Amino acid sequence: MDKTNSLKVMPRLLGMLLCLALIQAACAQTGQFDGNLVFGNVTYENGTYENDTFDTGFIDGNVTDGNVTVHTINPTSFSMYMVAGNSEKFTVSFKNEGNETLVVTPKVVSTSNSGNDTIRSWTTVSPTNVTVEPGTLQEFTVNVNVPRDAESANYQAAIAFTDDLFPYSTEYVNSMKLDLFVQASPKIELQASSISDTVKAGQEYEYRMKIKNIADKDITIDPKVNRYTYGNSLDTFALSDDAIVISAPSVIRADEIANITIKLPVPENATGSYNGYINMNVDGKANDGSNPQIGLYFNAIQQPTVPYVKIFNTTTTAPIAIDVSTDTYDPAMGLRISPKNEEPSFEVKLKYNSQFVSTYPTKITQTSNVNTGEYYFPAWALDNSMIYQNTNNHYVETYAVSGAIGTWELQIMPKNTANFGYSITLENQDKNQHILK
């Protein structure tokens, strides 16, 4: 290093050494460092400057040799969570702690750790220019307007109220930090968030769901199936993810409604459940939580090969009434195209003293609750086939036989249902004896 450059560096080096000496002296003066740093006649306490001024002794950037007034700003930092396309406002106050009238022109600036300071162009402060007398408190309104096409990310910036900088830094003395997490605006809307169904082993199922492009421009999708994996999973569905075939357009125009078709071949030996999802891969980007994905929940059932058996005894000759019932619903909510849902039924047999007794249903009762499709689906996804949705279907078969004293055996073979209940009623003129399960 030549002599001229050495002379230029020496004053700055001496200044830095002086700064360190002052910090050590301040810490020694207080006897401990508990988060409050005394520097000259300025106290830094939990992110805010309390006293009036400090003597920098440095010349750098906008800081001039002499005193810099530290004003009161509240809050000193502000964090926000926003969805792209929305706007939010908050208030920050500035108190003139100096002895002179100030013309305050707040500006949004970058910070030293601003990995993404695009927020600067989204943020305005009003009033933009105001005179603040000594000891006066002035409030400013900060308006953050996030564009609809903003990506999910953390954004940082600062709002500077004066031009004073910290020594050898780009950080402003009289400023507040602004931290913003943005969730990208969704580009698609799905008819339903999931497809759930009870399926039979050895059959192939087909489902269709509508998808709408709600972005302002065309998008691409590339649906892929993924299975959830759990350490204690009892998943024995025995189906690979790539066995589920998805058909969908690769490009969906703005405001267009398209169909996505899912084909599920259920293995012959399938039992248990399949639990996964379809990642839509909108515009080829990783899922950041802004765009919905389709949950897949399938329970495989095997048709029983032996009936359920109930043994009961009678002590009267009263007639016997037997009700066998099941509660069903369409878990796929009309999204299944094939095969069509089959009505539940039962094969009921009755033995008396080990001999079969002729039985047949004397009455079949079906009840259901019906909701309009808007209860489950957005209006744009409804068509004539989905205007009404049956829920909580109740099916009952009633049997009646002549009574006799002895031992009875009731056999029930269910079809097209995974659950059922029954009741056995013995009636006479004196009292009812009711066995319910």
Side-chain angles (χ1 to χ4, degrees), residues 148 185-191 210-221 249-259 282-283 291 380:
R148 180 176 171 80
S185 179
K187 296 180 180 179
I188 60 171
E189 186 175 350
L190 298 173
Q191 179 178 358
K210 291 182 174 65
I211 176 175
K212 183 178 182 180
N213 179 358
I214 59 174
D216 298 328
K217 57 185 179 181
D218 297 355
I219 62 169
T220 63
I221 61 172
S250 58
V251 178
I252 305 178
R253 295 187 300 273
D255 206 40
E256 180 185 4
I257 298 174
N259 288 323
V282 178
D283 286 337
N291 291 303
W380 59 262

Side-chain angles (χ1 to χ4, degrees), residues 261-337:
T261 302
I262 300 99
K263 290 186 178 180
L264 172 73
V266 184
E268 290 284 352
N269 60 340
T271 60
S273 63
Y274 180 93
N275 190 355
Y277 63 95
I278 300 175
N279 190 341
M280 303 304 293
N281 292 307
V282 178
D283 286 337
K285 296 180 180 178
N287 185 17
D288 60 3
S290 60
N291 291 303
Q293 55 194 18
I294 303 174
L296 300 177
Y297 310 99
F298 301 113
N299 287 316
I301 59 172
Q302 298 271 356
Q303 173 63 38
T305 57
V306 294
Y308 171 83
V309 175
K310 170 65 179 178
I311 306 295
F312 64 96
N313 295 305
T314 57
T315 58
T316 72
T317 59
I320 301 172
I322 299 172
D323 285 342
V324 185
S325 61
T326 183
D327 291 299
T328 64
Y329 69 100
D330 178 12
M333 302 306 298
L335 299 175
R336 186 205 289 181
I337 303 303

Side-chain angles (χ1 to χ4, degrees), residues 21-276:
L22 288 173
I23 293 175
Q24 291 174 349
C27 292
Q29 201 172 25
T30 59
Q32 60 179 353
F33 179 69
D34 58 0
N36 298 334
L37 175 60
V38 179
F39 186 178
N41 59 347
V42 177
T43 300
Y44 181 78
E45 181 177 3
N46 297 327
T48 62
Y49 291 92
E50 299 294 344
N51 291 343
D52 292 332
T53 62
F54 65 87
D55 190 350
T56 64
F58 297 100
I59 300 175
D60 190 357
N62 296 332
V63 177
T64 58
D65 202 11
N67 291 337
V68 174
T69 303
V70 180
H71 304 283
T72 300
I73 298 170
N74 186 32
T76 56
S77 64
F78 197 84
S79 297
M80 306 175 70
Y81 172 90
M82 294 179 63
V83 176
N86 293 332
S87 61
E88 294 288 345
K89 294 181 180 180
F90 67 92
T91 301
V92 57
S93 64
F94 174 91
K95 184 180 180 182
N96 184 351
E97 300 288 4
N99 299 319
E100 299 178 356
T101 299
L102 294 177
V103 176
V104 180
T105 306
K107 58 184 176 182
V108 184
V109 298
S110 299
T111 62
S112 60
N113 61 341
S114 294
N116 194 336
D117 64 354
T118 311
I119 186 177
R120 292 176 57 191
S121 62
W122 306 341
T123 307
T124 58
V125 185
S126 59
T128 58
N129 184 287
V130 64
T131 300
V132 183
E133 301 292 337
T136 301
L137 187 72
Q138 172 67 44
E139 288 191 342
F140 294 87
T141 299
V142 181
N143 186 11
V144 182
N145 191 353
V146 182
R148 180 176 171 80
D149 60 353
E151 299 292 339
S152 295
N154 278 314
Y155 300 84
Q156 300 87 29
I159 300 174
F161 294 89
T162 70
D163 291 335
D164 305 312
L165 294 174
F166 285 104
Y168 298 102
S169 172
T170 58
E171 299 289 331
Y172 287 80
V173 175
N174 295 298
S175 66
M176 69 162 292
K177 297 295 195 306
L178 180 58
D179 187 72
L180 174 65
F181 176 78
V182 172
Q183 174 68 67
S185 179
K187 296 180 180 179
I188 60 171
E189 186 175 350
L190 298 173
Q191 179 178 358
S193 60
S194 64
I195 296 176
S196 177
D197 204 0
T198 299
V199 295
K200 292 182 180 179
Q203 293 194 18
E204 182 173 276
Y205 291 76
E206 183 175 343
Y207 305 87
R208 182 178 301 151
M209 181 182 292
K210 291 182 174 65
I211 176 175
K212 183 178 182 180
N213 179 358
I214 59 174
D216 298 328
K217 57 185 179 181
D218 297 355
I219 62 169
T220 63
I221 61 172
D222 184 21
K224 298 294 183 184
V225 177
N226 298 271
R227 179 187 297 222
Y228 291 117
T229 56
Y230 306 103
N232 59 348
S233 175
L234 298 179
D235 186 352
T236 54
F237 206 87
L239 180 70
S240 61
D241 296 340
D242 56 7
I244 300 176
V245 178
I246 302 175
S247 301
S250 58
V251 178
I252 305 178
R253 295 187 300 273
D255 206 40
E256 180 185 4
I257 298 174
N259 288 323
I260 179 171
T261 302
I262 300 99
K263 290 186 178 180
L264 172 73
V266 184
E268 290 284 352
N269 60 340
T271 60
S273 63
Y274 180 93
N275 190 355

